[in-house]
């Protein structure tokens, strides 16, 4: 194993560690906080988190083994199962992000009717459609025997070894990525750009009111005026940064792999094996970044994490104090006798 393979293996190990810890923490927050569970987005987050954990414990270790061994890491049945999961979980992850963007769009554009439009039942129906959509392509690939170990990506995924099926497989691969990656990307852009438009409109209204107030307050201290203007600037940039993060992480993680899969269908463009594995690692890195992008940096999840940490520390302090009191009583008893 050369230095490139060692670096890719290290990247996979780091991605697995971060993904496992962060997604497990999101699950703990969902179990701990009833307020989070009562909200419709919790179903989308739960679906996304469980998919990320399944990918972390099944697909990533097999890819790591493929990178280290430079060959198929498991038997044909297990590899086909892993390839089925890989295709299903990737589609489920993309559609879950699209569902979260639709939820944010409804919350921002229709704030007064949000609870009526996005109930838990509606969220459950969206998750059911996500599963049905995500199961369609791997089921078809399984029926056509297009699941197995792909040497270019060192992983069990979509592949076709028969030259006479090249055209059919190319059409299938193009349709798969169009109805998963491209569809989700279009939904993300349409919903979040509409959210950004509404956010900027509200920022302008707040800016007008702030400027009118500053004009009326003639005796206001210059430092207070400067803080108000700085807050205006931060307010305008906040929504742009969040939406850029949502769309940017989606593109950075999934686009290289999808483009590589499409370029691979053309025999005129050679693709290096290291780039194939790296593009797969980038797709896996979405499982590690999702908990921070969609959950752990939000106020409710940070609050839940603090409560969990305080509870753990409180139990440890009670346990240590109990041990201290027991040892103290044991030391006193012989003296009293």
């Amino acid at each position: 194993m050369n230095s490139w393979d060692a670096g890719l293996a290290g990247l996979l190990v780091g991605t697995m560690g971060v993904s496992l810890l962060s997604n497990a923490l999101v699950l703990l927050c969902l179990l701990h906080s009833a307020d989070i569970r009562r909200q419709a987005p919790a179903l989308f987050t739960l679906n996304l988190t469980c998919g990320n954990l399944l990918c972390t414990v099944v697909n990533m270790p097999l890819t790591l083994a493929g990178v280290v061994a430079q060959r198929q890491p498991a038997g044909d049945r297990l590899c086909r199962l892993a390839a089925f999961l890989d295709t299903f979980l990737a589609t489920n992850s993309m559609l879950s992000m699209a569902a979260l963007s639709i939820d944010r769009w409804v919350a921002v554009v229709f704030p007064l009717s949000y609870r009526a439009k996005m109930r838990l039942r509606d969220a459950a129906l969206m998750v059911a459609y996500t599963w049905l959509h995500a199961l369609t392509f791997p089921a078809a690939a399984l029926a056509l025997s297009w699941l197995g170990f792909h040497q270019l990506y060192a992983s069990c995924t979509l592949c076709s070894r028969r030259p006479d099926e090249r055209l059919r497989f190319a059409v299938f691969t193009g349709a798969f990525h169009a109805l998963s990656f491209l569809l989700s990307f279009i939904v993300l852009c349409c919903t979040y750009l509409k959210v950004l438009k509404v956010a900027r409109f509200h920022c302008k209204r707040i800016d007008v009111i702030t400027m009118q107030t500053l004009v009326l307050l003639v005796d206001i201290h210059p430092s207070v005026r400067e803080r108000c203007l700085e807050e205006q600037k931060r307010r305008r940039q906040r929504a742009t940064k969040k939406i850029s993060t949502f769309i940017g992480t989606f593109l950075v993680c999934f686009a290289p792999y999808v483009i590589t899969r499409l370029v691979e269908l053309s025999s005129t463009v050679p693709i290096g094996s290291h780039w194939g594995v790296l593009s797969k690692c980038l797709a896996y890195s979405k499982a590690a970044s999702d908990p921070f992008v969609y959950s752990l940096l939000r106020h409710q999840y940070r609050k839940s994490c603090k409560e969990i940490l305080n509870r753990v520390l409180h139990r440890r302090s009670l346990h240590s104090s109990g041990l201290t009191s027991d040892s103290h009583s044991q030391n006193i008893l012989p003296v009293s006798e």
Side-chain angles (χ1 to χ4, degrees):
M1 186 171 62
N2 57 32
S3 58
W4 265 100
D5 294 330
L8 291 171
L11 179 61
L12 270 170
V13 171
T15 303
M16 288 168 55
V18 174
S19 177
L20 188 63
L21 293 175
S22 57
N23 284 286
L25 185 56
V26 172
L27 278 183
L28 285 176
C29 292
L30 287 169
L31 291 173
H32 176 264
S33 176
D35 293 335
I36 296 177
R37 292 196 303 271
R38 279 195 290 266
Q39 300 174 358
L43 282 178
F44 305 138
T45 304
L46 179 63
N47 183 42
L48 183 62
T49 303
C50 290
N52 289 338
L53 282 173
L54 193 57
C55 178
T56 303
V57 300
V58 176
N59 294 100
M60 292 188 196
L62 287 176
T63 301
L64 177 62
V67 171
V68 174
Q70 296 293 312
R71 58 182 175 83
Q72 182 172 319
D76 290 338
R77 289 186 177 180
L78 180 59
C79 196
R80 282 196 296 269
L81 175 61
F84 185 95
L85 281 175
D86 180 75
T87 309
F88 167 73
L89 294 175
T91 309
N92 180 62
S93 175
M94 295 178 190
L95 294 177
S96 295
M97 285 177 267
L100 283 166
S101 70
I102 293 173
D103 174 78
R104 287 299 87 204
W105 172 69
V106 174
V108 173
V109 179
F110 308 103
L112 298 179
S113 57
Y114 170 73
R115 292 186 179 276
K117 291 180 180 293
M118 191 59 70
R119 296 166 295 181
L120 285 174
R121 185 184 66 182
D122 301 320
L125 289 174
M126 293 177 69
V127 171
Y129 169 77
T130 298
W131 275 58
L132 183 63
H133 187 136
L135 282 170
T136 302
F137 284 96
L142 182 63
L144 295 169
S145 300
W146 286 345
L147 297 175
F149 181 74
H150 201 309
Q151 188 65 46
L152 178 62
Y153 307 100
S155 61
C156 299
T157 182
L158 286 175
C159 67
S160 176
R161 296 184 178 89
R162 296 175 58 182
D164 58 324
E165 294 181 340
R166 186 177 185 84
L167 180 59
R168 292 173 59 198
F169 183 73
V171 173
F172 178 85
T173 303
F176 167 63
H177 291 301
L179 293 175
S180 56
F181 172 79
L182 184 60
L183 175 63
S184 301
F185 179 65
I186 291 173
V187 172
L188 284 171
C189 289
C190 292
T191 52
Y192 282 132
L193 289 179
K194 185 64 176 178
V195 168
L196 181 61
K197 183 179 179 181
V198 174
R200 285 180 173 176
F201 173 74
H202 288 303
C203 284
K204 287 181 180 179
R205 291 181 60 185
I206 296 172
D207 291 346
V208 170
I209 297 173
T210 303
M211 293 305 297
Q212 290 175 351
T213 305
L214 291 176
V215 170
L216 292 175
L217 297 175
V218 181
D219 298 333
I220 192 172
H221 195 274
S223 61
V224 177
R225 185 187 299 270
E226 290 178 3
R227 284 200 298 269
C228 291
L229 296 175
E230 289 176 0
E231 180 60 28
Q232 281 185 353
K233 186 178 179 180
R234 284 196 296 268
R235 192 185 302 116
R236 287 193 296 267
Q237 294 176 347
R238 195 175 297 131
T240 305
K241 287 181 179 179
K242 286 184 178 180
I243 291 172
S244 299
T245 301
F246 293 146
I247 299 177
T249 54
F250 182 86
L251 281 178
V252 170
C253 294
F254 286 126
Y257 178 69
V258 173
I259 294 172
T260 304
R261 292 303 308 241
L262 295 176
V263 172
E264 178 199 350
L265 300 174
S266 172
S267 58
T268 58
V269 181
I271 301 174
S273 60
H274 293 135
W275 169 252
V277 177
L278 179 61
S279 66
K280 191 65 177 176
C281 291
L282 287 174
Y284 285 150
S285 68
K286 196 70 176 71
S289 64
D290 282 342
F292 300 98
V293 174
Y294 292 100
S295 303
L296 296 178
L297 297 180
R298 293 177 56 193
H299 172 71
Q300 285 183 314
Y301 285 88
R302 293 203 307 267
K303 180 182 177 183
S304 181
C305 289
K306 290 179 181 178
E307 291 175 354
I308 294 172
L309 182 61
N310 290 334
R311 180 175 295 183
V312 171
L313 294 177
H314 181 65
R315 286 181 177 178
R316 284 185 178 180
S317 63
L318 289 177
H319 181 67
S320 61
S321 62
L323 290 177
T324 304
S325 61
D326 290 342
S327 61
H328 183 67
S329 61
Q330 289 176 1
N331 292 333
I332 292 175
L333 283 174
V335 177
S336 61
E337 291 174 357

